[in-house]
Amino acid sequence: MSIFSSMETTGSALTAQRLRMDVVSSNLANIDTTRAKQVNGEWEPYRRKTVTLASQQSGPAFSNYLSAAIGRSDQSTGKGVKVTQINEDTETPFKLIYDPTDPDANDEGYVQTSNVDSLKEMTNLISATRSYEANVTAFNANKSMLSKALEIGK
């Protein structure tokens, strides 16, 4: 295990949380987009995107922790986090707004708008921001510990 492995772990978490914030920002920016892409010849509104994260393990998680607990250093306890997918939310329906003057209105006068909920997105943004801040704190604490360890050798 390298002395920098904890920095790599927090670095991967910082990257993942930054991507989460980027996706949330994209969702909020496209909240009123009615023509995002064509599906079967019809324009479809913007669909909310979500990020799926997973741990980066070199093997089964339990065996890594067990090896570390009994003092075997040939395996690492973890490699951080990675983004596995950015998915479109197909479960939440589009919102319908009555506006017969809109060029995207259907025959009944309703316009389909994105399925982005600003309250949900702001909650996700706050969560990602707090996670990012916690990882910055962990990174700085690790950096401080490594600095103090180097001072011991002086």
Side-chain angles (χ1 to χ4, degrees):
M1 180 188 294
S2 168
I3 62 170
F4 296 110
S5 64
S6 61
M7 287 185 155
E8 291 171 0
T9 301
T10 54
S12 69
L14 289 169
T15 302
Q17 296 306 326
R18 195 203 79 225
L19 181 67
R20 268 185 69 202
M21 288 187 274
D22 289 345
V23 169
V24 169
S25 298
S26 174
N27 287 343
L28 288 171
N30 287 295
I31 200 164
D32 293 325
T33 303
T34 58
R35 291 184 183 196
K37 67 178 180 178
Q38 265 188 324
V39 177
N40 300 328
E42 299 279 327
W43 282 101
E44 189 175 85
Y46 178 83
R47 285 193 183 273
R48 174 179 180 260
K49 292 181 177 37
T50 59
V51 176
T52 305
L53 304 175
S55 64
Q56 294 181 11
Q57 295 290 336
S58 58
F62 179 75
S63 67
N64 288 335
Y65 287 113
L66 183 62
S67 295
I70 61 174
R72 288 183 44 203
S73 61
D74 56 83
Q75 291 186 354
S76 144
T77 57
K79 304 254 188 215
V81 66
K82 65 180 177 179
V83 175
T84 57
Q85 288 182 327
I86 298 177
N87 299 319
E88 288 188 346
D89 181 6
T90 56
E91 294 177 11
T92 308
F94 294 122
K95 298 175 194 161
L96 291 175
I97 297 176
Y98 183 73
D99 186 5
T101 61
D102 192 301
D104 293 328
N106 61 14
D107 295 338
E108 293 87 30
Y110 288 96
V111 179
Q112 278 189 332
T113 61
S114 69
N115 60 352
V116 177
D117 180 9
S118 61
L119 183 62
K120 188 183 290 186
E121 295 305 316
M122 290 305 294
T123 304
N124 288 337
L125 184 61
I126 290 169
S127 170
T129 303
R130 296 289 185 248
S131 296
Y132 189 90
E133 290 170 354
N135 282 296
V136 166
T137 302
F139 188 87
N140 287 335
N142 187 28
K143 186 172 70 171
S144 175
M145 285 188 285
L146 289 175
S147 176
K148 293 293 182 188
L150 288 174
E151 287 178 14
I152 292 172
K154 285 185 180 179

